[in-house]
Amino acid sequence: MEIIIAETTEEMSRLAADIVERQLLRKPNSVLGLATGSTPMGLYKELVRRHQQQGLDFSKVISFNLDEYLDLSPTHPQSYRYFMDQQLFNHVNIDPRNTHVPYGHVAEVEEYCAWYEEEIKRVGGIDLQVLGIGADGHIAFNEPGSSLGSRTRLKTLTQQTIEDNSRFFDDPDQVPRFAITMGVGTILETREILLLANGAKKADVVAQALEGPITAQITASALQMHRHVTVIVDSAAGSKLKRADYYRWVHQEKKRLIPRLIGRVT
Ligand code: GLP
């Protein structure tokens, strides 16, 4: 695991965009795993800028999003499909038919989740997975107690997540209680992971997830078992990391001696 402590959220987003860009240059038909939430918004903005100003090409990219609220239609402004269209898909040359966000209005949830997993496999698996982290340590909507081997399925959200996400809804009662989410096991099967976190509110949980024990109570801690994870945090989110000085030193040395390997050697 490589941990990069950026000075600012903007730097975090730029460094993250470098990793996504490098992936697309290396493999134009990459399969990207994408996340929602406020954390990756700067990354998407930077990718849109690079597409518009530098021609970063998404024409062959296939994407799979982590999760979606149950029973929200794709046109609902708080649905994750709507978020992705607004933040990224509508502004780059990705083929909309190649974008997958779980469909919240589905009748047969179990069959649908199995199909979602099969689709990921059918295109050869996810090359690079972008992740945020919830205040309770969740990745996607894998709330505390989720099996670390879990697959795409229906999850009930915790009250904390419902409260955290209520800021986007007019009325807290409108926040859905259920979501379809990739499992921790699904995420661990991706070839490479890019975890982002910003802001002081994430500092405690980032330290627990990266430096604490692996536990289903903090599902992001399962990333410690993955072979290729790059974590980029801003200085506020990284402020509780015990080995922050070491991570900073590693990054400086890499920048100085082998910049092409930032995000590559784990
Ligand atoms: C939601 C999403 C997660 C995301 C988390 C953090 O719960 N399902 O994928 O990481 O929010 O959101 P934010 O980035 O807004 O803090």
Side-chain angles (χ1 to χ4, degrees):
M1 186 179 274
E2 179 170 356
I3 301 176
I4 300 173
I5 304 175
E7 283 315 309
T8 61
T9 303
E10 291 69 33
E11 191 191 359
M12 174 195 84
S13 302
R14 269 199 311 277
L15 289 168
D18 290 347
I19 290 179
V20 176
E21 177 171 357
R22 198 164 49 191
Q23 174 67 37
L24 297 191
L25 294 178
R26 199 167 47 228
K27 187 182 172 198
N29 60 343
S30 287
V31 181
L32 297 181
L34 298 174
T36 50
S38 45
T39 310
M41 282 170 72
L43 162 65
Y44 297 151
K45 204 169 161 202
E46 179 61 14
L47 290 175
V48 169
R49 191 192 68 74
R50 292 185 193 192
H51 166 70
Q52 291 174 347
Q53 294 179 9
Q54 296 159 12
L56 181 61
D57 183 22
F58 289 79
S59 62
K60 297 192 178 70
V61 169
I62 299 175
S63 73
F64 285 88
N65 262 78
L66 289 166
D67 46 13
E68 177 63 284
Y69 291 117
L70 190 72
D71 285 341
L72 282 199
S73 78
T75 52
H76 189 291
Q78 300 312 333
S79 75
Y80 285 170
R81 160 55 75 177
Y82 188 88
F83 175 99
M84 289 309 301
D85 287 346
Q86 297 296 316
Q87 298 294 325
L88 183 66
F89 300 152
N90 288 350
H91 311 290
V92 296
N93 63 336
I94 194 165
D95 182 341
R97 289 169 303 183
N98 287 339
T99 68
H100 305 81
V101 180
Y103 183 61
H105 258 317
V106 72
E108 302 294 336
V109 178
E110 280 177 32
E111 281 87 342
Y112 180 76
C113 292
W115 173 84
Y116 203 73
E117 291 269 335
E118 282 308 312
E119 279 299 290
I120 294 172
K121 284 204 188 93
R122 194 178 60 80
V123 298
I126 291 172
D127 293 304
L128 176 63
Q129 175 67 57
V130 176
L131 291 177
I133 181 170
D136 61 7
H138 68 226
I139 44 176
F141 269 132
N142 292 289
E143 298 287 33
S146 292
S147 157
L148 300 185
S150 52
R151 318 299 314 185
T152 302
R153 70 214 183 288
L154 191 68
K155 278 300 286 183
T156 311
L157 308 184
T158 62
Q159 278 169 323
Q160 182 177 352
T161 299
I162 291 168
E163 270 165 41
D164 288 348
N165 292 0
S166 67
R167 67 187 192 277
F168 301 112
F169 290 79
D170 297 336
D171 172 0
D173 286 340
Q174 289 176 352
V175 187
R177 269 50 183 162
F178 302 96
I180 294 172
T181 179
M182 278 188 205
V184 181
T186 321
I187 293 168
L188 289 178
E189 277 174 14
T190 62
R191 290 189 189 90
E192 181 178 341
I193 291 177
L194 176 56
L195 172 70
L196 307 178
N198 66 318
K201 271 201 230 153
K202 300 283 173 72
D204 281 316
V205 83
V206 162
Q208 288 173 56
L210 305 184
E211 297 181 331
I214 296 174
T215 166
Q217 293 305 312
I218 297 181
T219 52
S221 66
L223 301 179
Q224 293 178 38
M225 295 192 301
H226 193 281
R227 284 183 300 178
H228 192 168
V229 180
T230 306
V231 182
I232 313 179
V233 295
D234 70 357
S235 57
S239 61
K240 300 272 173 75
L241 288 165
K242 286 199 189 74
R243 295 191 185 276
D245 288 346
Y246 173 62
Y247 309 138
R248 284 201 167 92
W249 180 77
V250 170
H251 188 58
Q252 286 314 320
E253 288 301 279
K254 269 194 168 181
K255 237 165 59 177
R256 197 166 67 87
L257 299 169
I258 39 169
R260 72 179 191 288
L261 292 186
I262 292 172
R264 298 252 41 93
V265 173
T266 54

